[in-house]
């Protein structure tokens, strides 16, 4: 047993506690902006440190906690997402959220939950990590105390999230009941297509789909995304979703890999439904966060489809896509945050004239949205290509066609935003953008383009990570 | 243990559990619901005893009855009385028949599953010293989960405080 | 020596006017004197070269069977090689001379006629291009070259007919000319494509060898179709029935253009095409018969319209159609010689008449109606003389040019088919009648008081004189020098006069002229009475058998109607489907978003329903689903 | 000079222009246009040099470059041109060069405009020079966003609003490309077993010879490609983006779209459809031929009743694409020669048409045909240009349009006599609508309301001169074009012969 | 003889009842209670399995401990949220929480 493998998690926890302490120590008239920067620096440091951990494939505590490349890949994804979120949220938090110390600390605890999820190799650890993340997010969604929407969103998220946890737990209990084990690899050994197993698997899938906001378990997402503070919305889209995917990949490709012929059909239908619903409903949205919520539903459908391949290529596609989606989302939410800070509204109309007021942000938004849509040469295209080659190889050509068609339709509403940005400005107010937010914008822009044009390195890394499962 | 007594005890606890659960969801007054919920938890802890999980039965009574149910009662009291009376009806426009159907189907499916699954019963005897075994498990194998649960409770506390405290009216 | 040079540089003949076109069109448009000078000089050079070619043909004993051909590859792809080249034989030599001569005359004439016109330079550029394209057509070595210049001739006629583009009528006439001939070209193009596919070549010389061989082997069935398709081109271009409608309207162009179109370029291109491709037609008796009958019918039909027309140029136009019918008839009965002979003489006297008519119009601006003229012979003696010569020539009065060529056609027709001969003779009678009518009404009788005619300027009179002389001697000289020995298809043809036929036609022509004089010239003015008596026939003829109206109606009802119908389908069906699909997905989105009521219990309800469905699907339906949705194949 | 990456240089020139423009201050209006013009002039010059330096006798891919790009997908940055792509590259640069001058009067946010214009050029040029299917798609999709933004910002409303038209164009083409992408993915997976997979067009083309692509797969994949490329090419009934889009887009975009982007569809059909999936092509060819005839006649009839100049040209270009399609469908060297050459010819002609319509619209503020008339009085140069474009459109010999059409007819007649007959009848209707519009717009009485309209002059004249000259020169010397095209198509002869000889399992159900 | 099936049946019924309550109760407090019922059903399941399938390792019981902890945390956050909502809107009706929709 090697405690060193847990360095990242411990560091995150310590960082979170430090933030709480600093929050108390810092005098009241201070803006608490420094807390955000401390957190960001700390996360960055952990991210950099975690680079050294590649190649390890060890487990801690009787194989219940595994540190392999896949886990590490996801952890770095979460760290990067948190880092970007912290950077662009400083001004937002200062402006709209009172309890900034608690905010940053809880965000770090959520990060810890995600990291645990990525490494969890048994159902209990997995569950507890997921609940840590979820409960923190329930609180954070309702953290914008002056906003009625925020509390409503928090309430909805909590109720539905708890209900979905119950469903998943119920499913887990059946899986445990049939196999007599909670460890994934042992479940895999004993799993057969018995009714109890299928019932448990189905309910677990349903519970996970809730976290992934897969149709028809998606209905909370738009409301919660809309009501939550923008950085939290971003984290929900980037982090919580990716963490659920980490769990999904492990559970379905290790524990339930022998039952693939059973779940594949269901998963393909769920993926297809997500693509369709996410995209056709997004067309109607006038609120940028709500629109991005529907878009993220569709994106989840795309990532989910990679599971169907059930091989390295498929997982590689999922990992690749999760990363590029993370960057695109960071860019889009960073710009949304800037706009909200500017005019206090999340409505898409508020973006009008952005291209003249701040060309950089307009370009970042455009590139991010189109990366989500999957237009070359943005990263989203290559991501879809990896996913779809993997699943088409398994014969899901219908899903490939559907996916491509829906992604092209999605351009419609992304374009509406782009059009708004390039139309005439409503007001002539000076548009001030904080440096840290600009950093995020530029990072996401460069990442979206670089990954799209030269996907080699990331693909190699994703491949490396995906191989950890086999 | 006596076979008959065991069976009788099971049916009593089961009946208490299910009946009070039904009461929880059908009672109109939230306070009644809360109290029935506590009763239900008692029934459940009785079932735990029958399943030879004494420690957990105790925890159930302590945590659920002692903490959660009380919190519910408090929560109900704290919100104004007017919303308590006559407002715990079922939602008027909720398709309660359909929901009933779904719930019924759910039970039916589950019963089918129970009936058709070839369970791998273990013939091993039950562990007698459950608290010790549980303690060892939690502090060794499930160490990380334990720690995470601790963080979870901390986070929940922080979150609950911030949320409940509300906006500072400066 | 010069003839050698001319023979080997015959490609210069079309190229010189092209150069004139480029120079004038690009640089000299605004300088009238220079533009005219350049054009005329180039035309003159072409004419001299053409004469050289003509002399060379005789001198070098180049015959129809032994042509002089130069080729240069123009398009080479496997399976389709197209050359541009020069095909010199007596047939093309005659055409070269006729075309260059007439266009030279017309250009000289235009100096006077167009003086002061704002588009003087442009006009000369177009004229040069027009003769260039016609000359290119004449020397074509294969069907594609021919088609290329054929179309370009069409373009030039379009430009020139629509020269007065501010006039709506000119604009419409130009359009009509282009589109009507296009319909013919459609057939021609298909014919050419078919020939290429059947024989793998379009070269006249090679086809001349392979067509008879093909007929010997495969029979005439398919080839007849091909030939008739090709003949559609000449029908359009040479104004044969039923595509003749553009030709009278083409009068909207300036008169020199009419002269050029009607005498030497454009319309005779069709005749020339049939003559050039005679190796093809001559082996297909059915096709020949069709050509002959279309020619005969057109000749008679156009003459019957010309009877009642009042516009001086229109009468001439219908006479052109009629004469072209003659030429086609001659070709149809197998006599290239007669056809080409008539083409030559017709070029002279028709150009003469048009230029004379132009002189009349020049003297009497803004008047086209012959009944508004009258008594011009005093004020315009030269013009009167020219017109008289022309009328005598076209009526076939010996020894004018028309007599010999028309006689040749009648002879050829009589040898093949009696009905054709009768129609031809009848047409000859009618021709003499309406041409005399024109002459008498315009030049004789009393002068109209409000007319102030004046004789044309010198530059316009010179061509009249030259062409007048040619219209007199242009028939006898070829006759005397055995035109048929040279320009022929098959064995040499020694022309002789059949005195019975010649006599009959001459007598009839004289009679017709006398009748016309009686009706129109004697002052008894019985024309109106006649018109009233036969009002139905008169109206039919005067309104050109309502063919224009028919076409207009067809075009309006079917082409535009069909277009409107399709546009309706486009908007309401095709676009409708596209917009419908978009609308459908929008509606789907709207419907789905209305499910998002904001009520969390509704969400939970759907969630649990879905979870139940998943479980049910896993438990029950899975084996059924599997094969359907992920069947492994495409 | 032998190793000079000429094609990369051609692609990089506009990209450099974009970068320079990006860093120019917003106010440097004139400067931006000059830079765009110079950039395009250099690119055009390099392309002309490539055209001149290409060894027709040697044929095959020349100026090739090949750098591995994405190893795990088998993507290479592979460039190269042959006789099929080089004319189209030249077309791109010619049209691109012209559009800069056509857009000379854009004074509203010129920076964004010219950047996006150059992006369009890069996108088009890239599709023609790349030899890797994925890079091809990359360039192919580069069009979408600039087109949309340019239409919405600088476009004009007509029968429909510009927002609607731009969106329709964008989404329509994108959905087409979705099928295309799916087809490419299926092709990529089936061509080679895992591990050896590649997007290299050359390698994919060999997959058929190796027997890796079954007829079944080829038929399905070709169908998917046909939807994609067909909607780009405005194949019936997948074209309804075109008329609205052209009408709404600013002139430069209309020119590039109708002149160049449409050709990407045809090029793709030949380069990917035919070379990689010959059996699929053979299976669908009769169907394509049928659709081609519908294209020609249906669109021609609709063109007849159009009242807006841009709609007219839009529908007419749909009609013309029918010739390309039937040339492709005949699947023999002559017809494909014709099809490729016709793409070039139509591109230049259509671009000229749109350029002049843009000028007319600029000066008269209307494109409604009944409102126009007699413009030859005030604008003789525009009139000359329109005449040349119109005559080329109706296939007048001596202009570039004729020989391609003729070769298409010759090639196609062997395979589809009846369809070709109908296709040839299209020339009559083309003449009808072209002459009508010329007559109604240019000729007729002088109208005083247009007396203030000045004829084109100065830089506005450049597109007219450049494109007009190309139309005439390539028309008079068709071998300049056909020789080049044929050097690209002739190597297909063995494949095509084999195709005609081989009976296929499912082939010919549409015959 | 009371066996596994009996306990599972009771659990299923409690779960279904909780589910019914979750979807039909009017106030968020009631909904929270229903969720607690569902979690208890899970716990019964886990302990029953622990007893009959793996009586020697008790993993099911460990799981139940964590479940109870999580349930407590959820209730804490949930009630805090109820206060907030109540303070914001003066109501705890689930159906009124529909400002965000469509």
């Amino acid at each position: 047993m090697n405690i060193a493998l847990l360095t990242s998690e411990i560091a995150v926890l310590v960082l979170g506690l430090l933030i709480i302490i600093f929050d108390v120590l810092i005098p009241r008239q201070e803006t608490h902006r420094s807390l955000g920067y401390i957190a960001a620096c700390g996360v960055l440091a952990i991210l950099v440190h975690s680079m050294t951990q590649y190649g390890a494939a060890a487990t801690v505590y009787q194989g219940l906690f595994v540190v392999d490349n896949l886990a590490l890949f996801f952890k770095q994804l979460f760290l990067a997402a948190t880092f970007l979120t912290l950077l662009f949220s400083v001004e937002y938090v200062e402006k709209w959220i009172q309890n900034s110390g608690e905010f940053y600390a809880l965000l770090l605890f959520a990060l810890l939950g995600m990291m645990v999820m990525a490494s969890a190799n048994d159902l209990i650890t997995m569950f507890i990590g997921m609940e840590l993340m979820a409960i923190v997010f329930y609180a954070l969604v309702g953290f914008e105390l002056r906003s009625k929407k925020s509390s409503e969103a928090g309430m909805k998220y909590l109720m539905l999230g708890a209900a979905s946890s119950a469903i998943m737990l119920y499913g887990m209990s059946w899986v445990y009941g049939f196999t007599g084990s909670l460890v994934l690899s042992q479940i895999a050994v004993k799993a057969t297509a018995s009714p109890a197993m299928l019932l448990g698997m189905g309910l677990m899938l349903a519970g996970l789909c809730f976290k992934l906001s897969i149709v028809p378990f998606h209905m909370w997402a738009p409301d919660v995304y809309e009501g939550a503070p923008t950085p939290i919305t971003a984290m929900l889209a980037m982090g919580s979703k990716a963490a659920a995917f980490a769990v999904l990949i492990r559970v379905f490709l290790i524990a339930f890999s022998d039952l693939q012929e059973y779940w594949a059909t269901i998963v393909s239908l769920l993926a297809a439904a997500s693509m369709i619903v996410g995209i056709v409903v997004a067309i109607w949205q006038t609120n940028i966060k709500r629109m991005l919520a529907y878009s993220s539903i569709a994106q989840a459908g795309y990532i989910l489809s990679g599971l169907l391949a059930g091989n390295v290529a498929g997982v590689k596609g999922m990992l690749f896509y999760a990363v590029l989606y993370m960057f695109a989302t960071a860019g889009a939410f960073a710009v949304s945050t800037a706009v909200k800070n500017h005019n206090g509204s999340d409505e898409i109309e508020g973006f009008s004239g952005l291209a003249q007021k701040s060309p950089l942000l307009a370009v970042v938004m455009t590139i991010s949205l189109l990366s989500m849509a999957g237009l070359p040469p943005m990263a989203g295209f290559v991501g879809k290509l990896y996913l779809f080659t993997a699943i088409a190889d398994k014969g899901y050509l219908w899903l490939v066609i559907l996916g491509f068609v829906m992604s092209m339709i999605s351009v419609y509403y992304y374009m509406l935003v782009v059009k708004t940005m390039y139309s005439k400005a409503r007001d002539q107010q000076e548009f001030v953008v904080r440096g840290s937010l600009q950093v995020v914008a530029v990072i996401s822009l460069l990442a979206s383009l670089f990954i799209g044009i030269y996907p080699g390195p990331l693909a190699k890394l994703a491949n490396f990570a995906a191989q950890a499962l086999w | 243990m006596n076979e008959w007594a065991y069976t009788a005890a099971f049916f009593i606890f089961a009946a208490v559990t299910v009946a009070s659960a039904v009461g929880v969801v059908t009672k109109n007054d939230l306070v009644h619901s809360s109290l029935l919920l506590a009763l239900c938890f008692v029934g459940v802890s009785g079932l735990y005893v029958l399943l030879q999980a004494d420690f957990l039965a105790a925890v159930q009574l302590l945590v659920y009855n002692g903490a959660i149910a009380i919190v519910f009662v408090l929560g109900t009291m704290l919100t104004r009385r007017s919303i308590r009376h006559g407002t715990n009806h079922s939602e008027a426009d909720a398709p309660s028949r359909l929901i009933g159907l779904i719930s019924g189907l759910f039970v039916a499916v589950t019963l089918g599953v129970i009936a058709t699954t070839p369970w791998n019963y273990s013939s091993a005897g039950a562990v007698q010293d459950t608290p010790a075994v549980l303690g060892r498990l939690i502090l060794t194998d499930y160490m990380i989960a334990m720690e995470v649960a601790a963080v979870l409770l901390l986070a929940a506390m922080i979150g609950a405080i911030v949320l409940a405290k509300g906006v500072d009216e400066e | 020596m010069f003839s050698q040079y001319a023979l080997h540089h015959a490609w210069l003949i079309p190229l010189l006017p092209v150069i004139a076109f480029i120079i004038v069109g690009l640089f000299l448009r605004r300088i009238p004197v220079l533009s005219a000078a350049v054009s005329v000089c180039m035309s003159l050079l072409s004419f001299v070269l053409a004469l050289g070619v003509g002399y060379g043909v005789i001198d070098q004993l180049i015959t129809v069977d032994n042509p002089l051909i130069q080729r240069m590859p123009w398009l080479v792809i496997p399976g389709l090689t197209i050359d541009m080249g020069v095909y010199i034989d007596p047939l093309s030599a005659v055409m070269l001379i006729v075309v260059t001569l007439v266009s030279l005359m017309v250009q000289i004439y235009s100096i006077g006629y167009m003086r002061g016109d704002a588009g003087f330079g442009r006009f000369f550029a177009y004229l040069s291009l027009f003769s260039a394209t016609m000359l290119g057509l004449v020397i074509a070595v294969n069907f594609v070259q021919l088609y290329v210049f054929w179309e370009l001739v069409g373009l030039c006629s379009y430009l020139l007919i629509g020269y007065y583009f501010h006039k709506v009528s000119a604009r419409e006439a130009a359009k009509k000319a282009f589109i009507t001939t296009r319909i013919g070209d459609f057939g021609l193009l298909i014919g050419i494509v078919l020939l290429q596919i059947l024989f793998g070549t379009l070269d006249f010389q090679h086809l001349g060898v392979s067509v008879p061989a093909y007929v010997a082997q495969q029979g005439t069935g398919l080839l007849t179709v091909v030939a008739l398709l090709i003949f559609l081109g000449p029908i359009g271009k040479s104004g044969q029935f039923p595509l003749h409608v553009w030709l009278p309207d083409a009068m909207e162009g300036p008169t020199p253009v009419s002269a050029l179109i009607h005498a030497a370029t454009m319309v005779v291109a069709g005749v020339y095409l049939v003559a050039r491709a005679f190796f093809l037609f001559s082996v297909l008796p059915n096709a020949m018969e069709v050509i002959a009958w279309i020619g005969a019918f057109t000749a008679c039909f156009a003459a019957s319209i010309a009877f009642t027309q009042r516009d001086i140029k229109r009468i001439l136009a219908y006479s052109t159609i009629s004469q072209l019918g003659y030429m086609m008839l001659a070709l149809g009965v197998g006599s290239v010689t007669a056809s080409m002979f008539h083409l030559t003489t017709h070029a002279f006297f028709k150009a003469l008449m048009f230029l004379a008519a132009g002189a009349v119009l020049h003297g009497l601006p803004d008047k086209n109606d012959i009944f508004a003229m009258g008594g011009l012979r005093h004020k315009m003696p030269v013009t009167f003389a020219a017109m008289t010569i022309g009328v005598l020539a076209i009526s076939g009065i010996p020894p004018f040019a028309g007599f010999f060529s028309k006689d040749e056609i009648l002879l050829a027709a009589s040898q093949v088919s009696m009905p054709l001969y009768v129609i031809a003779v009848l047409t000859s009678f009618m021709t003499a009648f309406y041409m005399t009518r024109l002459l008498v009404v315009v030049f004789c009788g009393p002068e109209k008081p409000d007319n102030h005619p004046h004789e044309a300027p010198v530059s316009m009179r010179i061509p009249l004189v030259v062409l007048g002389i040619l219209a007199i001697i242009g028939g006898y000289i070829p006759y005397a020098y055995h035109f048929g020995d040279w320009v022929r298809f098959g064995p040499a043809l020694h022309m002789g006069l059949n005195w019975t036929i010649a006599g009959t036609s001459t007598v009839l022509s004289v009679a017709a002229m006398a009748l016309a004089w009686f009706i129109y010239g004697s002052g008894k003015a019985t024309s109106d009475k006649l018109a009233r008596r036969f009002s139905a026939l008169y109206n039919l003829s005067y309104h050109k058998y309502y063919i224009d109206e028919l076409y207009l109606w067809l075009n309006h009802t079917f082409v535009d109607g069909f277009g409107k119908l399709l546009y309706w389908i486009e908007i309401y069906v095709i676009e409708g489907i596209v917009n419908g699909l978009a609308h459908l997905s929008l509606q789907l989105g709207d419907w789905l978003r209305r499910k998002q009521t904001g009520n969390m219990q509704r969400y939970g309800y759907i969630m649990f329903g879905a979870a139940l469905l998943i479980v049910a699907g896993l438990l029950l339906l899975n084996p059924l689903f599997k094969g359907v949705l992920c069947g492994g194949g495409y | 000079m032998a190793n000079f990456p000429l094609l990369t240089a051609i692609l990089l020139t506009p990209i450099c222009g974009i970068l320079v423009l990006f860093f120019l201050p917003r106010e440097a209006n004139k400067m931006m246009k000059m830079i765009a013009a110079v950039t395009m002039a250099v690119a055009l010059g390099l392309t002309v040099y490539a055209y001149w330096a290409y060894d027709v006798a040697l044929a095959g891919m020349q100026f090739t470059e090949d750098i591995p790009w994405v190893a795990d997908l088998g993507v290479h940055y592979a460039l190269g041109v042959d006789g099929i792509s080089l004319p189209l590259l030249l077309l791109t640069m010619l049209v691109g060069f012209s559009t800069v001058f056509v857009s000379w009067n854009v004074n509203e946010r010129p920076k964004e405009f010219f950047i996006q214009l150059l992006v369009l050029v890069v996108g088009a040029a890239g599709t023609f020079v790349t030899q890797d299917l994925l890079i091809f798609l990359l360039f192919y999709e580069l069009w979408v966003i600039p087109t949309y933004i340019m239409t919405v910002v600088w476009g004009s409303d007509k029968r429909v609003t510009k927002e609607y038209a731009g969106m329709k164009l964008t989404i329509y083409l994108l959905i087409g490309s979705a099928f295309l992408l799916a087809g490419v993915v299926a092709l990529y997976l089936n061509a080679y077993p895992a591990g050896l997979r590649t997007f290299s067009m050359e390698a994919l083309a060999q997959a058929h010879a190796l027997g890796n692509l079954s007829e079944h797969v080829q038929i399905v994949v070709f169908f998917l490609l046909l939807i994609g490329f067909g909607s780009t090419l405005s194949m019936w009934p997948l074209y309804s983006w075109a008329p609205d889009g052209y009408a709404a887009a600013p002139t430069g975009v209309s020119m590039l779209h109708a002149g160049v982007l449409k050709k990407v569809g045809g090029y793709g059909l030949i380069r990917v459809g035919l070379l990689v999936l010959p059996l699929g092509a053979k299976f669908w060819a009769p169907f394509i031929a049928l659709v081609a005839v519908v294209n020609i006649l249906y669109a021609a009839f609709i063109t007849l009743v159009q009242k807006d100049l841009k709609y007219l040209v839009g529908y007419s270009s749909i009609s013309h694409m029918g010739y390309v399609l039937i040339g492709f469908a005949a699947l023999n060297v002559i017809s494909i020669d014709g099809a490729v050459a016709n793409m070039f010819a139509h591109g230049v002609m259509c671009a000229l048409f749109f350029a002049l319509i843009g000028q007319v619209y600029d000066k008269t503020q209307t494109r409604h045909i009944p409102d126009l008339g007699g413009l030859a009085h005030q604008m003789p140069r525009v009139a000359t240009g329109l005449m040349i474009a119109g005559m080329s459109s109706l296939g007048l010999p001596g202009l570039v349009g004729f020989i391609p059409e003729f070769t298409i007819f010759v090639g196609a007649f062997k395979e589809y006599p009846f369809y070709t007959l109908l296709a040839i009848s299209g020339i009559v209707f083309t003449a009808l609508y072209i002459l009508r519009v010329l007559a109604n717009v240019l000729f007729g009485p002088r109208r005083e309301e247009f007396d203030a309209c000045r004829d084109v002059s100065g830089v506005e004249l450049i597109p007219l001169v450049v494109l007009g000259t190309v139309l005439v020169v390539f028309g008079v010397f068709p071998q300049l074009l056909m020789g080049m095209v044929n050097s690209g198509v002739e190597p297909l002869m063995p494949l095509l012969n084999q195709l005609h000889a081989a009976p296929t399992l499912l082939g010919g159900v549409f015959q | 003889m009371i066996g596994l099936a009996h306990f599972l049946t009771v659990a299923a019924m409690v779960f279904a009842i909780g589910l019914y309550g979750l979807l039909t109760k009017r106030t968020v407090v009631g909904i929270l209670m229903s969720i607690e019922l569902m979690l208890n059903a899970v716990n019964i399941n886990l302990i029953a399995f622990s007893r009959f399938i793996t009586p020697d390792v008790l993993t099911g019981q460990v799981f139940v401990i964590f479940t109870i902890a999580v349930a407590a945390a959820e209730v804490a956050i949930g009630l805090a949220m109820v206060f907030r909502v109540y303070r914001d809107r003066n109501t705890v009706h689930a159906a009124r929480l529909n400002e965000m929709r469509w």
Side-chain angles (χ1 to χ4, degrees), chain D residues 136 140 180 225-234 264-266 268-269 272:
Chain D
F136 174 88
Y140 180 81
L180 177 62
L225 296 185
L226 187 64
I227 295 179
F229 287 132
S231 51
T232 317
L233 187 72
S234 62
V264 177
L269 270 187
V272 186

Side-chain angles (χ1 to χ4, degrees), chain A residues 156-237:
Chain A
K156 281 180 178 169
Y157 192 31
L158 176 98
M159 294 295 167
L160 295 169
S164 84
S165 292
I167 294 181
M168 189 163 63
L169 269 177
Y170 198 58
M172 283 178 176
S173 75
W174 286 97
V175 170
Y176 163 65
F178 184 74
T179 60
S181 172
L182 287 167
V183 181
L184 298 182
S185 47
Q186 288 170 26
I187 294 174
V189 174
K190 294 185 185 149
T192 58
S194 68
M197 193 69 204
L198 291 179
L199 174 69
M201 188 172 77
L203 293 178
M204 279 180 73
L205 182 61
L208 280 172
C209 283
F210 174 85
K211 292 276 182 288
L212 295 170
S213 67
I214 290 291
V215 175
F217 305 95
H218 67 290
M219 304 193 77
W220 60 275
D223 294 0
V224 171
Y225 279 35
E226 185 185 344
T230 309
I232 298 308
T233 311
M235 274 310 280
L236 281 177

Side-chain angles (χ1 to χ4, degrees), chain A residues 170 173-174, chain E residues 7-8 11-12 40-50:
Chain A
Y170 198 58
S173 75
W174 286 97
Chain E
F7 289 98
L8 296 184
N40 268 281
V42 171
N43 289 351
I44 298 176
N45 243 18
L46 283 170
I47 293 180
F49 283 131
S50 179

